[in-house]
Amino acid sequence: MSVGRYLNRQLEVWRPTTVPDGAGGQETTLVLQGTVRAKVDQPSPTERLVAAQAGSRHTHDIWLSPRADVQRGDQLRGTDGLGQAQAFRIGSVVQPSRPVYSKAFAEIIEKEGA
């Protein structure tokens, strides 16, 4: 079984990276790592409840190829079906015991005033 046929979006992977700030210190910036194919879904009410009880926000499930290089702390950016820009912060990534897909638990990043 392959999850590939369900992955209907291209999302950019942005990873926090520490770089010199030019004054002897460091700053963290997001660096584009590449793109991945994905499917973005709403989590079930039970998944949201479990996340809330654990103290995290879980607004979306993002399905990926099992070889997709997506990690906790990454941001995934792209557009929705209406062409509106979206960005997601990854809280965790899991795979089943037989790696046929990866599932990222994400929180949508909303713009100020949205």
Side-chain angles (χ1 to χ4, degrees):
M1 179 184 142
S2 173
V3 70
R5 67 175 174 242
Y6 301 107
L7 306 179
N8 57 4
R9 291 174 65 174
Q10 289 282 337
L11 298 176
E12 295 176 337
V13 179
W14 292 81
R15 183 158 298 146
T17 305
T18 303
V19 296
D21 66 2
Q26 296 179 330
E27 64 182 11
T28 301
T29 186
L30 293 172
V31 176
L32 178 63
Q33 301 295 305
T35 61
V36 293
R37 291 178 50 218
K39 181 176 187 301
V40 179
D41 283 335
Q42 297 282 328
S44 71
T46 301
E47 288 174 319
R48 283 187 181 207
L49 178 63
V50 169
Q53 289 173 338
S56 69
R57 299 215 26 210
H58 177 193
T59 62
H60 289 79
D61 291 333
I62 301 178
W63 301 86
L64 306 155
S65 160
R67 290 182 295 282
D69 183 16
V70 175
Q71 303 172 8
R72 181 175 199 254
D74 286 353
Q75 282 188 19
L76 299 182
R77 299 177 186 175
T79 56
D80 65 12
L82 302 174
Q84 299 295 313
Q86 288 185 316
F88 303 93
R89 184 175 302 107
I90 304 303
S92 64
V93 181
V94 298
Q95 287 185 340
S97 57
R98 185 170 158 243
V100 293
Y101 64 85
S102 290
K103 182 178 179 182
F105 299 99
E107 174 185 2
I108 195 161
I109 302 169
E110 296 189 7
K111 293 181 182 177
E112 292 290 325

